[in-house]
Amino acid sequence: MYIAGQKEMQQMDHYTINNLGLPGSVLMENAGAKVVDEIKHESPKQSKILVLAGSGNNGGDGFVVARRLFDLGYDVLLCLMVNPDRIKGDAKIHFDVYVNRKLPLLYFSETSIDTLTYKIKQADVIVDAILGTGLHGPVRKPLNEVISSVNECADDKMIVAVDIPSGVSGDTGKVEGEAIKAKKTITFVCPKKGFFLNQGPEYIGDWKAVDISVPISNAEKLELDLPSVITKELVKDSIPARPANGHKGTFGHVLVIGGSSSFIGAPIFTAKAALHSGAGLVTLAIPESIYPIVASQNPESLLMPLPDDHGYINQSAIDRLSNQLETFDTIAIGPGMGRIPNGEQWMASFIRKLDNQQLVVDADALFLLRHHLDNMGNLKGNVVLTPHPGEMARLLNTNVQEVEESRLDIAATFAPKYNLYLLLKGHRSIISTPENEIWINPYGHDALSKGGSGDVLTGLVASLLAQESKPQNALIAATYLHAKAGETQAEKWSRHGVTPWELITGIKEEINRISGD
Ligand SMILES: NC(=O)C1=CN([C@@H]2O[C@H](COP(=O)(O)OP(=O)(O)OC[C@H]3O[C@@H](n4cnc5c(N)ncnc54)[C@H](O)[C@@H]3O)[C@@H](O)[C@H]2O)[C@H](O)CC1
Ligand SMILES: [K+]
């Protein structure tokens, strides 16, 4: 499913009207009808419904919503937030119909904020059709006061946003002033970029994209390069097939390089996640000084103790590794590795030894590789980087805030520039490819915000790659499975109580669920 910004939505909308010949007022009627379909399923007939409508086409959708709810027998009141002479075009058509039918209407210009607040308090359902994708800048007075009044009374009410909560930017998800905190957002054609960026996720509630007869194929006709949102169906198609007659060689051999005396668990989580998600074999290469502990925890993996200095893998480990590299399909490097002494040099020598192995780079390996990014795209095997925002900031020599504010743009530029695959982790993880394809993961849970959870994800990505998933498919499936495992394990163990062990269990339960659906 595509994701679009404000301009792209307008382009698709205009294409439908001007090139396909479907009038805007029909699209508006469809939009309003679809919102009503959602409301009527969730609201009993005796519900009091207040529709707040602005001057633009979002308000126009609101007029249709109010009329249709009235016709279904709801106790509905439309409040027009602006002077009626500002209503133009398609919205005017539907406003006139509403007025001609003498349906219940309150003009905000003729009342006070106190009266409106009283109406807001009385309502069971509030429909937010104040501002849509036409928002520019912070919401101005007095609309901002109305929005804060709605939010203050929101606890026991159903707040339904039409297309996007008023005040949230469809492009960036930024909220510069006030914005409606929706419980549900019914969005037209496809979700908006802002749903997944900056503050957007805190405002949209549950979202659903509905068809209003703007064909999504318009995006191709207009040659729009749109990102996609990860869906369950896409994940189902991205999980590697598992031939019944396969053997351990069929399902790939993952090498995990990591660990140091201070970080013993990280490579163990990576190796276990790889094995528990279907890799045929996993070898764990760790400093020899932590070997006994790792071995006792990890009987299911093969082990490769590497020469070390003071608990860090040392330079001569390269020779030990390079003798055996051809055995492995995919290498995950970094978890728990630490900033090994002369690490940049170590990493440069290591990269030179690679042949066609695929490489997943995480944690401190990202730091140690940050000056070798130009060489990564020339490797024969696929390269996947899995930074969290802090690691991404270091790769770009900037700060976390800047990364968080421009996640989508950063992902879109970085992967093609260095000819590699990027998984930019975070509240809504973003995947980008050398060909500039982009997917956003709409799932996630605070249960995942814990040490070790990234190590699990790295193992999962490496495992799917070793099982011959294309890199983008491996990343799509891994981010979804990891996030869903966080959600389902939090239901079982509380959002506080999920550790990497439960995540690994959750991932295989999720694979089972999605494969069986
Ligand atoms: N996507 C589609 O195919 C369809 C979308 N529809 C709906 O149309 C809106 C977008 O409509 P548009 O007229 O472009 O803009 P808005 O209604 O969001 O707002 C314009 C209106 O708001 C005023 N305004 C802008 N910024 C501010 C601000 N910061 N403070 C106060 N007021 C502001 C501006 O002056 C205008 O008057 C889309 O979201 C859908 O809901 C169609 O109905 C169907 C097809
Ligand atoms: K809205």
Side-chain angles (χ1 to χ4, degrees):
M1 186 190 287
Y2 284 131
I3 302 168
Q6 307 193 180
K7 190 162 150 242
E8 292 125 352
M9 277 319 303
Q10 263 172 14
Q11 285 174 275
M12 286 199 267
D13 193 3
H14 289 172
Y15 189 88
T16 311
I17 296 167
N18 302 328
N19 298 56
L20 306 181
L22 202 56
S25 58
V26 173
L27 300 182
M28 200 169 268
E29 184 70 33
N30 293 347
K34 284 291 169 75
V35 173
V36 169
D37 279 348
E38 295 301 319
I39 293 174
K40 76 177 184 208
H41 281 128
E42 297 191 14
S43 313
K45 267 286 152 64
Q46 63 277 16
S47 306
K48 268 178 165 308
I49 304 184
L50 176 65
V51 180
L52 304 172
S55 62
N57 288 332
N58 197 252
D61 301 336
F63 307 143
V64 177
V65 171
R67 167 168 48 81
R68 284 180 165 259
L69 286 172
F70 181 90
D71 288 342
L72 286 174
Y74 283 100
D75 176 358
V76 65
L77 175 66
L78 170 72
C79 182
L80 182 67
M81 306 308 306
V82 294
N83 215 308
D85 56 19
R86 282 183 56 197
I87 305 170
K88 305 263 171 343
D90 300 328
K92 174 92 166 81
I93 294 174
H94 290 291
F95 183 66
D96 288 346
V97 173
Y98 197 86
V99 172
N100 292 341
R101 286 193 51 192
K102 301 190 170 46
L103 302 180
L105 174 60
L106 178 72
Y107 291 92
F108 184 52
S109 55
E110 293 173 7
T111 181
S112 65
I113 183 80
D114 291 344
T115 310
L116 183 57
T117 302
Y118 178 70
K119 298 281 180 199
I120 290 170
K121 282 190 181 144
Q122 276 188 321
D124 303 302
V125 180
I126 293 171
V127 179
D128 157 35
I130 307 174
L131 294 158
T133 52
L135 173 83
H136 291 288
V139 179
R140 292 185 294 272
K141 248 179 130 175
L143 298 183
N144 59 347
E145 292 167 357
V146 176
I147 290 175
S148 79
S149 193
V150 171
N151 288 343
E152 274 165 30
C153 310
D155 280 354
D156 57 338
K157 299 187 195 308
M158 186 63 193
I159 315 273
V160 182
V162 174
D163 205 26
I164 185 165
S166 298
V168 177
S169 157
D171 281 336
T172 65
K174 282 189 185 165
V175 173
E176 294 183 57
E178 293 289 339
I180 291 282
K181 277 219 161 190
K183 302 250 167 70
K184 190 154 198 169
T185 297
I186 309 301
T187 198
F188 307 130
V189 191
C190 59
K192 313 297 177 274
K193 288 177 181 172
F195 288 14
F196 312 105
L197 302 170
N198 290 297
Q199 297 97 316
E202 298 161 43
Y203 286 82
I204 57 169
D206 293 332
W207 61 268
K208 183 172 180 185
V210 293
D211 171 33
I212 59 166
S213 302
V214 172
I216 196 66
S217 57
N218 284 4
E220 278 113 50
K221 300 256 165 54
L222 289 158
E223 295 181 3
L224 301 177
D225 250 345
L226 299 179
S228 299
V229 65
I230 295 179
T231 58
K232 201 168 157 189
E233 293 66 40
L234 184 61
V235 174
K236 212 171 163 176
D237 295 340
S238 302
I239 292 180
R242 205 164 169 88
N245 61 353
H247 51 88
K248 64 186 181 214
T250 317
F251 303 118
H253 192 164
V254 174
L255 171 67
V256 177
I257 306 174
S260 55
S261 53
S262 311
F263 298 104
I264 295 168
I268 298 180
F269 296 139
T270 305
K272 291 220 187 250
L275 211 51
H276 287 241
S277 57
L281 285 168
V282 177
T283 293
L284 192 39
I286 29 94
E288 58 195 358
S289 57
I290 63 168
Y291 169 79
I293 311 170
V294 175
S296 68
Q297 290 285 324
N298 233 22
E300 67 270 51
S301 296
L302 305 169
L303 292 166
M304 191 194 291
L306 298 175
D308 77 46
D309 289 327
H310 310 292
Y312 291 107
I313 298 167
N314 73 15
Q315 204 64 32
S316 50
I318 302 273
D319 297 331
R320 170 86 175 81
L321 280 166
S322 57
N323 291 337
Q324 262 186 288
L325 276 184
E326 71 212 26
T327 324
F328 308 108
D329 305 288
T330 305
I331 302 172
I333 186 162
M337 189 175 186
R339 304 225 173 136
I340 57 179
N342 298 321
E344 287 198 43
Q345 199 193 330
W346 192 100
M347 208 47 97
S349 328
F350 171 72
I351 296 295
R352 278 198 293 275
K353 301 285 180 194
L354 290 174
D355 184 23
N356 54 359
Q357 296 83 6
Q358 310 193 80
L359 191 64
V360 185
V361 187
D362 188 29
D364 278 319
L366 289 164
F367 177 80
L368 300 173
L369 270 173
R370 72 195 184 288
H371 296 132
H372 302 292
L373 288 173
D374 286 328
N375 304 330
M376 305 300 287
N378 303 327
L379 292 172
K380 271 199 249 167
N382 296 309
V383 176
V384 176
L385 267 49
T386 61
H388 58 54
E391 289 161 344
M392 191 76 228
R394 251 174 264 130
L395 285 174
L396 295 174
N397 205 11
T398 176
N399 57 48
V400 174
Q401 195 190 341
E402 286 203 10
V403 169
E404 290 297 65
E405 279 187 7
S406 326
R407 288 170 65 77
L408 197 53
D409 294 338
I410 286 175
T413 328
F414 191 87
K417 179 173 176 193
Y418 294 109
N419 191 29
L420 45 75
Y421 294 83
L422 178 75
L423 165 54
L424 176 53
K425 296 184 286 199
H427 183 53
R428 295 289 179 255
S429 295
I430 303 180
I431 294 160
S432 57
T433 72
E435 293 77 32
N436 200 17
E437 294 163 294
I438 296 182
W439 290 267
I440 301 187
N441 182 25
Y443 304 96
H445 200 281
D446 54 80
L448 298 166
S449 313
K450 205 172 265 184
S453 133
D455 306 320
V456 170
L457 182 58
T458 303
L460 180 55
V461 172
S463 164
L464 298 175
L465 283 173
Q467 291 170 71
E468 297 188 351
S469 271
K470 284 189 193 154
Q472 59 269 44
N473 290 352
L475 288 168
I476 287 167
T479 40
Y480 173 93
L481 294 169
H482 186 254
K484 274 281 170 191
E487 282 178 22
T488 50
Q489 294 301 299
E491 273 166 34
K492 221 184 271 179
W493 301 105
S494 87
R495 54 205 287 183
H496 304 78
V498 181
T499 70
W501 300 120
E502 282 86 43
L503 264 188
I504 293 170
T505 307
I507 286 166
K508 49 189 180 183
E509 286 175 1
E510 211 51 55
I511 296 177
N512 221 1
R513 198 168 295 130
I514 204 157
S515 312
D517 274 353

